[in-house]
Amino acid sequence: MSKGKINVAVENIFPLIKKFLYSDHEIFLRELISNATDASNKLLHLSSLGEVKGAVGDLLIEVKIDPKAKTLHIIDQGVGMTEEEVNKYINEVAFSGAEEFLEKYKDTAKDSGIIGHFGLGFYSAFMVADKVEIFTKSHLDTPAVHWSCDGSPEFTLETTDKKDRGTEIVLHINKDEKEFLQESRIQALLVKYNKFMPIPIKFGTKEETLPLPENADKDAKPQTQTVDNIINNPKPAWTKKPADLKDGDYKSFYRELYPMQFEEPLFNIHLNVDYPFNLTGILYFPKLNNDLNIQKDRIQLYQNQVFVTDNVEGIVPEFLTLLRGVIDSPDIPLNVSRSYLQADGAVKKISNYITRKVADKLNSLFKNDRKAFEEKWNDIKVVIEYGMLSEDKFFEKAEKFALYPTTEGSFYTFDELKEAVKDSQTDKDDKLVLLYASDVQEQHSYIKAAKDKGYQVLLLDSPIVAHLIQKLEGNNEKVSFARVDGDAIENLIKKEEATVSKLSDEEKEKLKPLIEEVITDQQYTVQLEAMDSQGLPFVLTQPEFMRRMKDMQQTGGGMMGNFPEMYTLLVNTNHELVGQILETKTSKKRERLIQQAVDLAKLSKNLLKGEELTQFIQRSVDMIK
Ligand code: ADP
Ligand code: MG
């Protein structure tokens, strides 16, 4: 038997790193700034331990473009490297000095915010540069060194005369990557990835307008001065303690995050845990309309204040991706596929924690100021209802604060609602029948009819409400929902009124075929019903079940084919006009009456369109002539 070590030749690996390390070339800048930040943070940490001679000063990272030389420079005032360290950290691919530092100082450096991890970040520079140089001087006062490499595995290393502590990385930008010599491109990249990094980053200068002195002349021109263009806010709100922040601080941080958002957030949730995983962040509930389509201002994911992505799918539960804000966690493994993420135990814990925090916040808002909560309900209900549908843990908590508004504008919790209607809205099996409308305008006549009978009518108008109703019924055997214009409302009416029919059985037998003769459309089923004589002669209803399935299909979830629209045409046998239909002898006149009554029923359901509508108008004119 023989044993051995697989020999990985750097010559072969190097081109691979260049090509496949990151699919996005722009990432190199984030990596180099991360290294500069790590170097600065290491220096601060060593200084706090008394291991650095002299004052550290205010540390700054500077990014510069030299358009003539076609170079990009990243300069820091951090720990720097000795010749030995360059050999160890740079010349050995995949050896992470960051990991080594954390290991060495593990008792104290846990919270130092060191970013590096895999020992590969530096080499991402070769994705955009033909040649990379390092000028570095260690804080240990050893001679400065100059490292240079043109992308082949061969490098040169010599001493140089750099005076100040720290490191300058020089990238000779490849001609295919010229965009990285453009000021606007680099500015945009810095803002995207480094806006909240902990060490100030300077990129050129900018003109700043000075405020006019109080006694200034009316037509005095404001003075400007040239100041450093600092990219980042090194202490963003989420890194602070909730106790140190006021409502205004959260709001101004929201504007910092989303400069193009003019609407204020409704409220925020500050996330802060360090065991069993480390996570901080602030989530905001924005005003949401019923449009569930993808929004562009999304939750941003950071690791140690470095922007990673705004695709948090798999990390926060789907219903919370509608929120905005930031999450910062070094514990989220990002070098794995999204589907793997969802199965990862640590990620599951993080996701559960976020769900719980959101539920707790909503509950406390509800408890502490119900009125304010009710006012916000319309803007937040989509998230809550979506959450109740998709996460059982959330459902359990949300049951206590989820609201059911009536068309009159009062709000019930589910328990309160059941209590309110328990004596007045039951069917023959003593099931509660909860009436709801989805559109106050379109279902106006149905709502009015129900209200006239003293029923409570809810206004449930979110796009996913059909799914939610289905779930609530599943959980509560003794509850059923009925839309005011659906057929399920009949259960209630029949039990309540058992109105005597003014028509005899013979008359009814005669009436039905007369109407069916005129209504030949297969979509309509004629049904005689003794209803309130003050109501409409004909009423159209839709089977609750069918309509709900159709709604559910539209928002995903239904698996059946396309449902036809089906309606029941209820003929009110107690209505004067129906009596008249029966008495009319001339068939022409009778048909006209029936047609008119059907069209009125369609009209009240907003179903009368096109040619039918034209005919209806013509007939109406004829009738009143
Ligand atoms: P990682 O950051 O994951 O450790 P990198 O490839 O980004 O890996 O960097 C390798 C190592 O090189 C770092 O850990 C650090 O020790 C050293 N290094 C890189 N850039 C700098 C810098 N600007 N100042 C000091 N040391 C640096
Ligand atoms: Mg790094």
Side-chain angles (χ1 to χ4, degrees):
M1 189 181 82
S2 71
K3 275 186 166 186
K5 201 172 171 189
I6 293 172
N7 186 10
V8 182
V10 182
E11 294 93 279
N12 303 332
I13 294 283
F14 216 53
L16 284 181
I17 290 177
K18 280 206 268 181
K19 222 172 164 171
F20 298 117
L21 186 55
Y22 297 102
S23 50
D24 242 350
H25 282 187
E26 64 180 38
I27 292 292
F28 81 92
L29 189 58
R30 179 189 85 185
E31 290 299 325
L32 296 179
I33 303 256
S34 295
N35 284 349
T37 302
D38 276 355
S40 308
N41 270 335
K42 282 180 194 169
L43 187 78
L44 292 172
H45 189 70
L46 294 176
S47 165
S48 76
L49 298 176
E51 292 186 20
V52 178
K53 270 195 239 124
V56 163
D58 289 333
L59 299 181
L60 186 76
I61 294 168
E62 191 175 355
V63 179
K64 270 196 224 165
I65 297 170
D66 184 338
K68 273 214 196 92
K70 299 196 171 52
T71 51
L72 182 69
H73 303 241
I74 294 104
I75 307 153
D76 69 62
Q77 302 157 357
V79 276
M81 284 179 275
T82 62
E83 182 172 347
E84 232 172 55
E85 284 169 331
V86 173
N87 270 316
K88 186 163 159 194
Y89 299 138
I90 301 295
N91 293 338
E92 255 178 66
V93 176
F95 181 89
S96 169
E99 291 249 289
E100 190 197 53
F101 184 88
L102 284 176
E103 185 56 32
K104 182 165 173 201
Y105 293 96
K106 61 170 173 275
D107 301 333
T108 54
K110 194 165 57 41
D111 299 324
S112 58
I114 298 294
I115 303 157
H117 201 38
F118 302 111
L120 286 173
F122 171 74
Y123 280 93
S124 64
F126 287 99
M127 296 192 302
V128 299
D130 295 327
K131 178 175 159 193
V132 178
E133 293 178 275
I134 305 175
F135 297 86
T136 183
K137 184 171 171 59
S138 165
H139 69 103
L140 293 171
D141 221 17
T142 46
V145 286
H146 171 208
W147 177 94
S148 174
C149 175
D150 63 4
S152 71
E154 267 135 54
F155 63 86
T156 61
L157 185 59
E158 61 198 351
T159 52
T160 183
D161 61 353
K162 181 173 165 47
K163 297 271 174 332
D164 345 308
R165 176 202 66 219
T167 303
E168 173 166 359
I169 310 282
V170 182
L171 306 186
H172 298 261
I173 299 293
N174 177 294
K175 66 175 184 327
D176 293 337
E177 311 278 344
K178 282 201 289 281
E179 57 185 287
F180 298 113
L181 291 170
Q182 271 167 27
E183 210 171 294
S184 58
R185 177 81 167 112
I186 296 296
Q187 167 80 21
L189 278 181
L190 291 171
V191 169
K192 175 171 175 189
Y193 291 103
N194 311 103
K195 192 172 166 186
F196 298 113
M197 286 194 59
I199 305 290
I201 300 161
K202 176 187 164 181
F203 182 53
T205 55
K206 62 179 179 193
E207 295 300 307
E208 202 176 65
T209 321
L210 292 170
L212 284 171
E214 263 172 48
N215 56 355
D217 219 45
K218 255 214 274 8
D219 26 44
K221 283 222 179 90
Q223 299 273 309
T224 59
Q225 68 174 0
T226 308
V227 292
D228 285 353
N229 173 31
I230 299 293
I231 297 291
N232 51 335
N233 167 6
K235 267 204 98 32
W238 84 82
T239 63
K240 298 178 184 167
K241 287 203 211 75
D244 297 339
L245 295 165
K246 297 204 174 54
D247 195 43
D249 298 322
Y250 286 109
K251 288 203 172 121
S252 59
F253 180 59
Y254 185 77
R255 273 190 295 277
E256 219 178 311
L257 265 182
Y258 307 111
M260 304 310 274
Q261 266 299 332
F262 298 108
E263 197 130 31
E264 298 236 305
L266 297 165
F267 51 87
N268 62 270
I269 301 162
H270 200 130
L271 306 168
N272 200 341
V273 252
D274 49 27
Y275 186 82
F277 48 85
N278 196 302
L279 180 128
T280 50
I282 300 173
L283 295 180
Y284 292 92
F285 259 80
K287 261 192 171 176
L288 289 175
N289 46 27
N290 279 351
D291 183 11
L292 290 181
N293 291 330
I294 323 118
Q295 43 178 23
K296 51 183 186 355
D297 285 326
R298 305 196 286 181
I299 296 178
Q300 303 178 357
L301 179 68
Y302 289 76
Q303 292 199 333
N304 286 318
Q305 295 173 238
V306 187
F307 173 82
V308 179
T309 176
D310 64 359
N311 175 6
V312 293
E313 201 185 305
I315 296 158
V316 310
E318 200 185 332
F319 77 101
L320 293 178
T321 56
L322 295 169
L323 304 190
R324 301 205 176 113
V326 293
I327 292 171
D328 188 335
S329 174
D331 292 337
I332 298 172
L334 286 165
N335 51 336
V336 295
S337 75
R338 292 277 154 167
S339 54
Y340 180 84
L341 258 188
Q342 271 153 337
D344 185 272
V347 174
K348 193 97 210 111
K349 279 203 192 95
I350 290 176
S351 158
N352 287 343
Y353 165 81
I354 295 172
T355 307
R356 200 176 64 235
K357 279 298 265 198
V358 170
D360 290 349
K361 176 76 182 194
L362 290 165
N363 196 38
S364 79
L365 287 170
F366 169 72
K367 281 213 171 124
N368 297 340
D369 190 350
R370 174 153 177 175
K371 191 142 191 317
F373 188 75
E374 288 177 355
E375 277 160 17
K376 289 181 182 126
W377 179 253
N378 238 337
D379 296 314
I380 61 177
K381 65 180 180 210
V382 182
V383 177
I384 298 175
E385 290 170 353
Y386 191 4
M388 289 173 78
L389 270 175
S390 53
E391 304 278 323
D392 285 337
K393 285 229 172 72
F394 185 78
F395 185 95
E396 282 163 33
K397 296 203 168 215
E399 251 188 326
K400 296 187 193 71
F401 56 72
L403 293 178
Y404 300 84
T406 68
T407 52
E408 314 266 64
S410 44
F411 291 83
Y412 291 113
T413 64
F414 198 57
D415 284 340
E416 289 165 356
L417 179 64
K418 286 191 285 188
E419 188 60 29
V421 302
K422 74 171 193 296
D423 297 323
S424 54
Q425 285 175 230
T426 53
D427 67 6
K428 58 181 190 323
D429 304 322
D430 274 333
K431 243 189 187 185
L432 291 182
V433 183
L434 303 176
L435 298 183
Y436 69 101
S438 63
D439 188 319
V440 224
Q441 294 302 326
E442 272 188 19
Q443 293 146 12
H444 184 269
S445 61
Y446 297 87
I447 296 171
K448 184 171 177 302
K451 274 192 198 154
D452 287 348
K453 298 207 168 66
Y455 298 145
Q456 294 280 359
V457 181
L458 303 175
L459 177 60
L460 304 180
D461 59 0
S462 18
I464 47 174
V465 93
H467 296 267
L468 185 63
I469 284 174
Q470 204 76 3
K471 182 165 177 122
L472 288 165
E473 285 179 347
N475 289 358
N476 299 272
E477 230 176 88
K478 282 275 166 204
V479 169
S480 74
F481 281 83
R483 206 165 91 172
V484 278
D485 58 345
D487 64 344
I489 193 171
E490 286 167 53
N491 302 334
L492 203 52
I493 295 168
K494 268 186 218 154
K495 185 194 168 194
E496 180 112 327
E497 309 209 329
T499 320
V500 263
S501 178
K502 283 186 188 162
L503 298 187
S504 69
D505 286 351
E506 282 147 54
E507 284 173 313
K508 280 199 237 166
E509 253 165 62
K510 218 178 109 197
L511 179 65
K512 203 170 175 202
L514 288 180
I515 294 171
E516 279 170 343
E517 242 167 62
V518 182
I519 316 298
T520 48
D521 195 331
Q522 293 289 322
Q523 284 180 297
Y524 298 91
T525 318
V526 177
Q527 192 178 315
L528 304 190
E529 209 59 66
M531 299 188 285
D532 187 356
S533 59
Q534 299 305 308
L536 286 168
F538 288 15
V539 180
L540 275 177
T541 64
Q542 217 177 357
E544 175 78 19
F545 170 77
M546 286 283 233
R547 202 217 55 250
R548 220 186 270 179
M549 286 298 156
K550 247 186 129 57
D551 285 353
M552 293 191 355
Q553 213 171 32
Q554 267 168 19
T555 43
M559 45 198 165
M560 287 154 259
N562 249 336
F563 280 110
E565 294 281 3
M566 297 291 283
Y567 296 96
T568 307
L569 181 73
L570 293 176
V571 175
N572 184 355
T573 54
N574 287 348
H575 198 280
E576 209 187 319
L577 190 79
V578 176
Q580 220 175 309
I581 288 173
L582 204 54
E583 278 156 28
T584 309
K585 294 280 165 329
T586 22
S587 63
K588 251 245 159 75
K589 235 176 161 183
R590 189 177 55 228
E591 272 168 31
R592 216 167 61 157
L593 272 181
I594 294 172
Q595 197 61 60
Q596 189 73 359
V598 173
D599 283 355
L600 283 170
K602 285 188 184 172
L603 194 63
S604 79
K605 227 175 158 16
N606 211 4
L607 285 171
L608 203 60
K609 309 236 156 79
E611 196 184 343
E612 281 187 339
L613 181 60
T614 315
Q615 280 173 3
F616 168 77
I617 293 169
Q618 191 53 53
R619 195 183 324 113
S620 303
V621 173
D622 289 346
M623 283 168 98
I624 56 175
K625 259 202 308 226

